[in-house]
């Protein structure tokens, strides 16, 4: 995937992949903390499956909201 991004002239994204990995690690910590709080293995497995499917959608939505907020902050500084 990284090689394909470079072929598509997306070096800036590739150069920042470590920052994306750090953010993903924080999300993984929250996931594991949540799963370990489940009462039993069945609850944990169900939560893992639902958390992966629906959680990925939620994380993507949160990313878009954060991007909009960062854009708004940056636009206010430019005025």
């Amino acid at each position: 995937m990284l090689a394909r991004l470079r072929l598509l002239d997306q070096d800036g994204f590739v150069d920042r992949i470590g920052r994306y990995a750090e953010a993903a690690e924080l999300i993984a910590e929250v996931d594991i903390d949540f799963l370990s709080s489940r009462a039993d293995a069945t609850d944990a497995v169900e939560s893992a499956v639902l958390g992966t499917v629906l959680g990925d959608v939620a994380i993507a939505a949160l990313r878009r909201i954060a991007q909009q907020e960062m854009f708004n902050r940056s636009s206010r500084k430019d005025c």
Side-chain angles (χ1 to χ4, degrees):
M1 178 212 38
L2 297 179
R4 178 68 57 190
L5 284 166
R6 286 210 189 275
L7 285 172
L8 295 169
D9 261 347
Q10 297 300 311
D11 294 335
F13 181 90
V14 175
D15 294 343
R16 291 167 178 82
I17 200 70
R19 292 177 65 193
Y20 284 103
E22 290 170 7
E25 188 172 315
L26 292 173
I27 292 168
E29 286 177 16
V30 175
D31 289 344
I32 298 303
D33 179 60
F34 173 68
L35 291 177
S36 27
S37 73
R38 304 308 295 167
D40 60 42
T42 302
D43 286 344
V45 169
E46 180 179 326
S47 292
V49 170
L50 292 174
T52 298
V53 173
L54 300 176
D56 285 354
V57 173
I59 296 300
L62 289 169
R63 180 183 183 193
R64 300 296 179 265
I65 292 167
Q67 288 170 338
Q68 184 64 47
E69 180 58 28
M70 295 298 293
F71 176 78
N72 291 341
R73 286 182 200 168
S74 135
S75 295
R76 285 192 295 263
K77 286 180 187 175
D78 292 341
C79 293

